[in-house]
Amino acid sequence: MPHGRRNNPPPAPVNILGTDVDVVESYKYLGVHLNNNLDWTHNTDTLVKKGNSRLFLLRRLSITDRDRKRMDRLVRRASSVLGCPLDSVEVVGNGRRMAKLSSMLNNTSHPYRTPWQHWAAPSVSGCSTLAV
């Protein structure tokens, strides 16, 4: 028998209490996105999109020390659930600021570059001690 997928016939229609159940690609149930392959791809994509949306709003807010501690506690919990180390809010924020500063300094047409043109640094990747 050759290896590969078989052409299986479509599943038989499902009827629950006299009501036909439609076959769908994906379905959201109790906040979890289930798909017909029973993998987590759609659910993960949705969570990442929602998380990025929330992070966008957080980036626009000024965060107090109390809020930063609460967020760091949340990151530690997420780290233990995922089973991998995650950077603190402060480390991530500093990294993003350094990346933004680096892109500004390396972009000769950036409007903020003008006052710094006398500073001929090729990049700021090694400037981890630069206070922003």
Side-chain angles (χ1 to χ4, degrees):
M1 176 182 279
H3 294 291
R5 291 188 162 193
R6 295 181 189 177
N7 279 337
N8 293 333
V14 177
N15 188 300
I16 299 176
L17 299 174
T19 304
D20 288 337
V21 176
D22 294 330
V23 176
V24 295
E25 295 275 326
S26 65
Y27 185 77
K28 183 177 178 182
Y29 183 72
L30 297 176
V32 176
H33 292 266
L34 305 168
N35 67 12
N36 57 0
N37 295 329
L38 296 178
D39 64 24
W40 291 99
T41 307
H42 183 70
N43 193 63
T44 303
D45 291 345
T46 302
L47 289 175
V48 168
K49 184 177 178 181
K50 185 184 285 188
N52 284 332
S53 172
R54 301 303 193 271
L55 287 173
F56 175 79
L57 293 173
L58 285 174
R59 277 187 231 121
R60 299 292 181 245
L61 300 173
S62 61
I63 299 172
T64 66
D65 283 337
R66 180 177 174 263
D67 291 337
R68 184 174 288 113
K69 287 177 185 175
R70 291 175 61 207
M71 289 174 60
D72 279 335
R73 201 170 29 241
L74 177 63
V75 169
R76 283 193 303 274
R77 282 187 203 147
S79 176
S80 68
V81 168
L82 295 173
C84 63
L86 298 174
D87 290 333
S88 69
V89 173
E90 184 175 1
V91 169
V92 172
N94 288 341
R96 291 186 61 83
R97 277 192 291 279
M98 289 305 298
K100 184 65 174 179
L101 179 60
S102 176
S103 72
M104 288 168 52
L105 292 175
N106 292 327
N107 181 356
T108 57
S109 63
H110 195 282
Y112 291 126
R113 172 83 187 241
T114 307
W116 298 327
Q117 286 193 355
H118 65 280
W119 184 30
S123 89
V124 293
S125 61
C127 295
S128 61
T129 58
L130 181 64
V132 179

